[in-house]
Amino acid sequence: MHNVNLIIKYVYSIGNIGIMNTSLKTKIKTCLYKTFCRPILTYGCEAIKLNQIHLKKIKTTDGNLVKKMFGFCKRSRTTKLMATLNMEPMKKVLVKRKLSFIMRLANNKFTKKLVNNILNETRDRENRTSKKSVIDEMKTIPEE
């Protein structure tokens, strides 16, 4: 994932405006991170199916950057920190982005026709659907 290195560079570059400053309020740091950093980390993820390795790398990078921002060591636990900061888990963020992407496709008249044709073809050969497809991943979301 090329976004990981980009987001790390970006976080350090916006450190100059105070995201790494210890005197900056937690709410402001969290807002800056959610607004500027997370979108870079998740850019393009809605159009591809992420495997468990990529998902773990994105989650780890996300957690490490937040811990670095607040001065915690890399080995400290992330789950409670993210909950305290009122930050959604990365998997939930990615699912929301993916669903939003699909809704935008469905609401566009050109892509709606294309998606409907793909779905019709997929239903016709459902047993042969690639396990790497975004459509296959969407089938599993309600189960989780």
Side-chain angles (χ1 to χ4, degrees):
M1 305 288 301
H2 67 282
N3 288 352
V4 172
N5 293 331
L6 180 65
I7 186 69
I8 291 169
K9 286 179 186 177
Y10 186 73
V11 168
Y12 287 115
S13 72
I14 65 172
N16 297 335
I17 65 167
I19 200 165
M20 299 293 194
N21 188 336
T22 54
S23 63
L24 191 64
K25 291 185 179 186
T26 302
K27 213 171 195 175
I28 295 172
K29 279 186 179 188
T30 305
C31 183
L32 285 172
Y33 186 78
K34 286 180 184 179
T35 305
F36 295 108
C37 302
R38 262 196 169 175
I40 294 171
L41 186 59
T42 60
Y43 178 77
C45 291
E46 60 269 353
I48 59 171
K49 181 173 182 180
L50 294 173
N51 61 29
Q52 291 300 317
I53 295 168
H54 289 132
L55 181 61
K56 183 173 171 61
K57 188 168 187 171
I58 291 171
K59 287 169 61 175
T60 302
T61 303
D62 184 50
N64 286 342
L65 289 170
V66 170
K67 288 183 268 191
K68 180 87 171 161
M69 207 169 55
F70 289 101
F72 295 114
C73 96
K74 277 172 77 170
R75 297 191 186 274
S76 54
R77 296 285 180 183
T78 308
T79 309
K80 289 182 180 177
L81 174 63
M82 295 298 213
T84 304
L85 295 173
N86 203 21
M87 293 179 77
E88 289 182 316
M90 183 53 74
K91 188 168 184 164
K92 189 174 182 178
V93 170
L94 291 171
V95 167
K96 280 184 171 182
R97 284 185 66 118
K98 199 166 287 257
L99 290 173
S100 172
F101 175 68
I102 290 171
M103 291 304 296
R104 287 192 314 271
L105 287 177
N107 290 328
N108 182 297
K109 68 179 182 179
F110 300 111
T111 56
K112 184 176 186 173
K113 186 174 180 179
L114 176 65
V115 169
N116 284 334
N117 287 338
I118 291 171
L119 289 173
N120 289 335
E121 286 180 24
T122 302
R123 274 189 224 109
D124 293 341
R125 47 190 169 104
E126 192 167 7
N127 294 333
R128 299 182 308 196
T129 303
S130 169
K131 297 297 179 193
K132 294 181 181 180
S133 75
V134 173
I135 294 169
D136 183 64
E137 184 179 7
M138 289 294 99
K139 290 178 193 173
T140 64
I141 288 177
E143 297 170 7
E144 294 178 352

